[in-house]
Each structure stands twice: as C-alpha cells, then as structure tokens.
Amino acid sequence: MNRQELISKIRELKGLTDNERAALLELASTKKRYGLVWENKPEDVEERLRDELPVLIEDESKRLTDGGDDAPNHILIEGDNLEALTTLAYTHAGKIDVIYIDPPYNTGNKDFIYNDSYVDSEDTYRHSKWLSFMSKRLRIAKKLLSDRGVIFISIDDNEQANLKLLCDEVLGDRNFISQFIWSAGRKNDSKYVSVSHEYIISYFKNFDFIKQQQIIWREKKQGIQDIYNCVKALIKKHGRNYDIISSELKIWYQSLPDNHPAKNHKHYHCVDERGIYFPSDISWPGGGGPKYEVLHPITKKPVRVPNRGWVYPTPERMQEVINQNLVHFGPDESSVPCKKTYLSDNEEAAPYSVFYKDGRAATKRLRAILNADLFQNPKDEDVLQRLFKFSSLRNSVILDFFAGSGTTMHAVMQLNAEDGGHRQCILVTNNENGICENVTYERNKRVINGYTKPNGEAVEGLHGNNLRYYRTDFVGRSRSPQNLRKLVRLATDMLCIKEDLYAEQQAFAGQEVVKQVFRYFEKGDKRMLVIYREEAVPLLVPLIERFELPRGERIKVYVFSPSEDPWAGDFEDVQDKVELCAQPMAILNAYKRVLPKRKEQNIYVVSSHSKIEGAGGSMTPPIDIQNLFDLEEGGDA
C-alpha cells in the first residue's frame, strides 16, 4: 500500500477522535529523511503561551543608571526564557550579533527541570524532553541573530552529539563553525576516565553573508603582552643598547616554565629601534632565486648567498630593503642575512579551538564578588571575554538566555572596559531559589558599583555601565478591546528596550504629558511618541507640525490602532516628520511567528469606539487631552 492509499484509509476510519485522526495523518505524511528524530514533549510554559501574551515590566527599584546617558544599557530579564525570547522576537529580531548560552547538560543529576520536575537519568524520555526544550528556544534564537550573528553553546558529552544534530537542523549544517574544546582542569569523578573538558559548539546565522563581507576572526596571541613588558623593563634598565637587550630577552625566554604562552614566541628574540623581531628566511621559495653580491654593512665583504637565491629579485630592491633597516646581518659576512619579521605585525591569529582555563578559579572569583558561596561552577568570564573579543563588534548586542550567575554580562563589561567598546548585554534567567535577584543581579550590580573582597581588598567598579531589571508579565491572548489596550499600555517598557531609549520627558512641544493618553521619550537624535488613545491624534498632530526637528530626522510614533493602519491619513500633514507604527498589531505579528498556535480562535473585535468619516480618514470625534485623562483615570489606557 502506498502512502496516499494509507492516508485515504485513515480518513475513512470510524471511531477516531479528530486529534487521533490528525496524529495518524501526520505520521503517515511524514517523509523519511536523514537527521535527528525525537518525540516532542509539551511544556507547561508553552501551554500558557497559547492563552497569554508575555510582556516585560521594569522593576525600577533595581535600576542602576549612574553610568550616564552614554553608557550601554544592559538588561536583565527575570522569567522563563521561552517567554522572554518571545518578547525579544519583537524588540530584537535580527539585532543580536552574539548569543552565548550554557543550557542544562541533562546529566540526570538534578540539573535539568522540565515542567517543574527534575529529569533524572532513568527517565525514558530524558533526551526527547531536552531536545524539545532546546529546539523551541533555538528556533526563536535564530530569528534574533543578525546576518553576521553567531551562537556559542556550552555542552558536555551527555547531549553533545544530539545538540550538534539539532543545530545542524535548526541553524543549518553549512553554518557550522567549530566545536571548541574547553579544557577546565582535571576532574577526579570517574571510575574510568577523568574527563577534563567540555565543548562550545558554534554556528553562524548566515555563512554566505560572512563570506561575502569577508569577515574573519582574529585574536591577539597569548603571551604577547608579557614579551612587550619584558622588553620595556630591559630598555628602562639598559637604555637603547639593543645587543644587550636581545641577549637578556633570550635568557628571559629560557627562564619561563614550559607551559608559559610567551614561550611559544621565543623566536622573537631580537630588538631594534622599531621593535621586537625574529630573523626569518630571506631565500627564494622553492629555489631558483637570483644570486647576486651583497656586502656586509660592517666588514664590507660579500656575505654568504642562500642556496635557493635571494627572495628579492634585483640588487637594487635588496639595497632598498637594507636601507630601510629591514635586513638582519650576522656579526660578519660568514652567515646568511635574514629578513626582520616584527612581532607588532604578527600579534594576531585565528583563535585556537582549544581553550585552557581552570574552572575552579571562576568559582573563587564569584565567591569573592558575592562574599558568599551561592553558585557552583560558574562559567569563566575570561574565556567568554575571549569569545566576544573576536566574534563581536564594539557596539554589538550580546544575549545569554541561560544566564545563571551572570558571567556573560560580567565578561561584556570587562571587554568594554578593555577596548573602549559599547557592547550591550541582555541576560535572561528564572528566579528559582532567588538566583536572578541574589546572584545574577547582585553579581553585576557589584561589578558595576565596585565591591570589597572577603580579605578586605577593594575592587574598583566598572562604572561606565547601566543595568535595568525586568520581569515577565502577561496579557490575555484573546483579541478583546480590553486586552488590546492593556497590551499597548504594558508594552511601553518593551518599546524603550526596542529603541534603546529611556529618557522620558514631561512635555511634548509645550503640551504637558498625560501618561494615560501619551508619553514622550527623547535623547540625542532619538525621539519616541507613544499614543495610547487614538482620540488624541488630532490634538497631537498640530504639536508635531510645530515641533522643530533637524533636517532628515523623524519621531518614531507608536499609536494604538485596532488594525494594521496607524492612522496614516491623519498624520498626512506631518508624514515627513514621523515614522508610524500601529500597536499592538506590530507586537502581535512578531509574536505570531514564534508563539504556539491557540487551541481555539476568538472573534476579533475591530474597535471599541464609534467611528465618523472625514477627509483625514476614519477617526473618533476629537476630545480634549485633559478630558481624556479624566476619562481614563484609574482605568487601562
């Protein structure tokens, strides 16, 4: 029997419920394919999202804004990460350059909670639950990544193979970059092999874009700064006596332990007025190069010619290089000269796929920050800083939706302090056992403000940062007028996040703000007007008309509308000064792309207001703003 015959038989079967028939038809219609297969397991949070829409509400009591108006606004979201990712699908679709996550490893040792219960090693569906859990989140995460975006995922052997296949399916196997090895020190917890490493799986969002833009990854070679520091000290000691400095630099290399990273660069052992260099081969690659006479600058006798001939094609070109002091000669003519290859031109290389970092050090540092032992085995901020250094731009947005102790934000702030960047970090974590408030928030609060270690040592804060704390809240998903208006009112904090604009003004164009009717935000060249009552549009348009704007700049206007139309006809006279967006439809459309389907569809109510027709389009009768305030006081805007 072929597939179509089987499907026809299923359609004719008696005694099946609609759900049973649909499930059988789905199984019969599924084509065989290569890839990962698992049984989808529903989540409680997923079921909640069938009936409710998430929004973000700021806890102003936890706001840290002493960094100033120009400081990056980092964001911490307390809530289930599936809910938070849904909100970010509106505020940050296509805006995230780097995602780093450290999901539960599903070891069976109370590290993975599914529907409020720990998944243990004996659970028959342990891997299916984990894959269902990760799949839902990775599919939204992909939508958040920019074209140059990259995602790093920490994992160990429990789910590494499954995760790789899942990412191949969700992110595309051709976008795979590498599987980094994080060697975190010896672990003596096995009867057979002491496993001392984990993995960081990495994928681009769009490898074609990366290739087209010729984006490459480079990082400074480890140990380079130690060499510079040594030479700096030797110059201070010996002045410009480069022969002595070069000799002592060789001795310094010999004194280093074998595992010191600077020892990998011991061939850079000569110093001149230009810097540190190593004498490299000056012969023609492969042989057959020109052989002409070159005089030693001191003895004035011909030096030895390399067997393969000179790399420079003519004596004149060779003399130019010698005049530029780019040729290293021996003490006399008996040795072949060399090219000077300077360390300053070779400080960077593609990052190695193996990281060596003892994870115990990160635990000690976190304990010192919090002055308490509240979190075990945090990720190492130095390792994450290395990842972000070669994968991000200085103004990138970096997301971690399994935030744990908040290491990612700490690493981002450290990197900004080091290179003058303005990277913004978004963290998401639940508040199980108070982790979000007592660990994630408290850690980064202390890193920003400064703290004192248990031994009394004061650590200066990374003051040039702001931090805002949000919690998820919910609005009914049925499209009643009450829910639509409530969604617009509660979504204002999300609009601030979306526009990275938090400076609320008390007046607009001379009109005092009435928060139940409209709000206005402005900082620098960013302006945002949020209109909760469509009746206020005829009163606000004249204010916009007389509002002075620099040439080419616009006001972003978010206006309540029960449809896709943001009352464009009514803004016709100021269309060159505004960028319109209908709310809540923009949010609903973004959510629609990531939310699970509703079990039943409610009737969509077009509007709760009577309409009149006019030349400017459909609009409710105009009303005084203060009357609107009186009308709405105590109710939903």
Side-chain angles (χ1 to χ4, degrees), residues 288-495:
K291 296 184 178 182
Y292 46 78
E293 186 177 273
V294 174
L295 300 180
H296 191 279
I298 297 176
T299 68
K300 305 303 181 183
K301 295 179 181 180
V303 298
R304 285 179 58 195
V305 178
N307 294 332
R308 294 185 297 183
W310 301 109
V311 72
Y312 301 110
T314 65
E316 292 77 17
R317 176 58 184 146
M318 171 65 90
Q319 191 58 49
E320 286 180 15
V321 177
I322 292 173
N323 293 341
Q324 293 169 3
N325 196 21
L326 295 177
V327 177
H328 175 91
F329 289 90
D332 56 41
E333 71 280 358
S334 63
S335 59
V336 176
C338 298
K339 289 192 299 183
K340 291 183 178 180
T341 301
Y342 286 90
L343 181 58
S344 58
D345 297 327
N346 295 275
E347 293 180 355
E348 295 184 332
Y352 289 128
S353 62
V354 179
F355 290 170
Y356 295 97
K357 194 72 176 180
D358 189 343
R360 293 169 296 184
T363 300
K364 292 177 181 177
R365 288 196 298 271
L366 179 60
R367 190 181 302 130
I369 294 172
L370 298 175
N371 203 9
D373 192 10
L374 300 179
F375 192 94
Q376 295 298 314
N377 303 316
K379 290 306 175 190
D380 192 297
E381 63 271 20
D382 294 339
V383 172
L384 298 193
Q385 185 176 335
R386 279 186 63 192
L387 286 177
F388 303 152
K389 188 180 294 186
F390 61 71
S391 64
S392 72
L393 301 173
R394 292 193 177 189
N395 62 346
S396 287
V397 181
I398 297 172
L399 168 66
D400 181 351
F401 52 89
F402 287 96
S405 69
T407 301
T408 298
M409 186 179 292
H410 188 172
V412 169
M413 292 191 291
Q414 279 187 169
L415 182 54
N416 283 343
E418 178 182 302
D419 67 7
H422 197 273
R423 299 169 187 83
Q424 181 194 27
C425 184
I426 302 174
L427 299 183
V428 180
T429 186
N430 60 34
N431 200 34
E432 180 191 354
N433 298 322
I435 184 177
C436 189
E437 293 182 287
N438 301 328
V439 180
T440 320
Y441 172 75
E442 190 63 30
R443 172 194 190 155
N444 286 288
K445 173 185 175 182
R446 295 187 183 201
V447 169
I448 292 172
N449 292 338
Y451 60 94
T452 302
K453 294 182 178 180
N455 64 4
E457 178 187 350
V459 177
E460 183 68 19
L462 302 176
H463 300 299
N465 295 278
N466 295 329
L467 175 58
R468 295 172 183 271
Y469 189 109
Y470 295 85
R471 292 187 177 89
T472 50
D473 200 351
F474 298 90
V475 177
R477 194 165 168 179
S478 64
R479 296 187 180 183
S480 67
Q482 294 81 5
N483 281 344
L484 293 179
R485 290 193 179 277
K486 185 177 181 182
L487 178 57
V488 171
R489 177 172 59 83
L490 292 182
T492 303
D493 282 343
M494 290 168 56
L495 297 181

Side-chain angles (χ1 to χ4, degrees), residues 88-330:
L88 294 175
Y90 172 64
T91 64
H92 280 80
K95 293 182 180 180
I96 306 292
D97 282 341
V98 181
I99 295 176
Y100 168 80
I101 55 173
D102 180 26
Y105 287 2
N106 201 19
T107 63
N109 296 321
K110 294 191 174 181
D111 70 321
F112 175 41
I113 293 180
Y114 202 86
N115 290 347
D116 297 325
S117 298
Y118 282 108
V119 178
D120 63 41
S121 58
E122 302 303 317
D123 191 317
T124 307
Y125 294 101
R126 175 162 69 98
H127 297 294
S128 283
K129 288 178 179 178
W130 190 87
L131 286 165
S132 295
F133 174 86
M134 290 298 297
S135 174
K136 297 179 181 76
R137 287 150 180 82
L138 288 177
R139 291 181 191 281
I140 302 177
K142 180 181 179 181
K143 297 178 185 295
L144 303 184
L145 286 171
S146 66
D147 283 336
R148 64 163 291 128
V150 58
I151 183 169
F152 299 100
I153 310 174
S154 284
I155 201 67
D156 73 358
D157 284 322
N158 285 282
E159 295 290 359
Q160 174 273 329
N162 288 332
L163 177 62
K164 175 66 171 62
L165 288 173
L166 177 63
C167 289
D168 283 348
E169 179 180 307
V170 175
L171 301 166
D173 57 355
R174 72 182 311 271
N175 293 314
F176 175 68
I177 306 168
S178 176
Q179 185 164 274
F180 293 92
I181 306 298
W182 183 340
S183 182
R186 175 171 287 277
K187 295 181 180 179
N188 295 311
D189 56 359
S190 173
K191 294 180 180 178
Y192 308 107
V193 176
S194 182
V195 178
S196 60
H197 69 277
E198 297 176 359
Y199 309 95
I200 303 176
I201 294 179
S202 56
Y203 283 78
F204 285 125
K205 162 74 172 290
N206 185 345
F207 180 75
D208 290 336
F209 179 86
I210 299 296
K211 188 175 180 179
Q212 179 186 6
Q213 296 297 313
Q214 298 181 335
I215 296 171
I216 60 173
W217 285 356
R218 290 293 181 267
E219 66 175 350
K220 197 167 186 177
K221 297 172 182 175
Q222 294 187 49
I224 297 292
Q225 193 57 50
D226 294 309
I227 302 172
Y228 283 132
N229 291 340
C230 175
V231 172
K232 185 177 180 180
L234 291 173
I235 290 175
K236 186 176 181 180
K237 179 180 178 182
H238 299 293
R240 301 292 172 176
N241 193 329
Y242 296 118
D243 289 338
I244 294 178
I245 292 171
S246 298
S247 297
E248 293 202 9
L249 180 58
K250 293 179 183 178
I251 295 172
W252 177 76
Y253 279 122
Q254 294 170 0
S255 71
L256 297 175
D258 290 340
N259 61 350
H260 195 289
K263 206 150 191 173
N264 295 327
H265 314 296
K266 62 183 179 181
H267 49 292
Y268 287 96
H269 54 69
C270 294
V271 182
D272 67 9
E273 66 276 5
R274 285 193 178 198
I276 308 163
Y277 69 91
F278 84 89
S280 60
D281 188 9
I282 201 169
S283 64
W284 192 278
K291 296 184 178 182
Y292 46 78
E293 186 177 273
V294 174
L295 300 180
H296 191 279
I298 297 176
T299 68
K300 305 303 181 183
K301 295 179 181 180
V303 298
R304 285 179 58 195
V305 178
N307 294 332
R308 294 185 297 183
W310 301 109
V311 72
Y312 301 110
T314 65
E316 292 77 17
R317 176 58 184 146
M318 171 65 90
Q319 191 58 49
E320 286 180 15
V321 177
I322 292 173
N323 293 341
Q324 293 169 3
N325 196 21
L326 295 177
V327 177
H328 175 91
F329 289 90

Side-chain angles (χ1 to χ4, degrees), residues 15-33:
L16 293 177
T17 67
D18 289 342
N19 288 338
E20 289 170 341
R21 193 181 308 278
L24 287 172
L25 287 171
E26 182 179 358
L27 287 173
S29 301
T30 301
K31 295 181 179 180
K32 292 181 180 180
R33 61 182 179 84

Side-chain angles (χ1 to χ4, degrees), residues 536-598:
V537 171
L539 301 172
L540 291 170
V541 167
L543 299 181
I544 296 173
E545 194 167 11
R546 71 176 189 233
F547 189 87
E548 293 187 8
L549 277 170
R551 182 181 297 273
E553 293 187 8
R554 294 172 180 259
I555 303 171
K556 189 69 177 281
V557 178
Y558 291 96
V559 56
F560 174 83
S561 173
S563 69
E564 301 274 2
D565 178 24
W567 313 109
D570 298 275
F571 286 93
E572 185 174 1
D573 292 340
V574 293
Q575 60 181 333
D576 61 330
K577 302 178 76 172
V578 299
E579 181 182 345
L580 299 175
C581 181
Q583 293 288 53
M585 293 309 299
I587 298 174
L588 294 174
N589 288 337
Y591 282 7
K592 184 178 180 181
R593 291 188 284 269
V594 298
L595 283 174
K597 292 181 180 179
R598 298 200 66 208

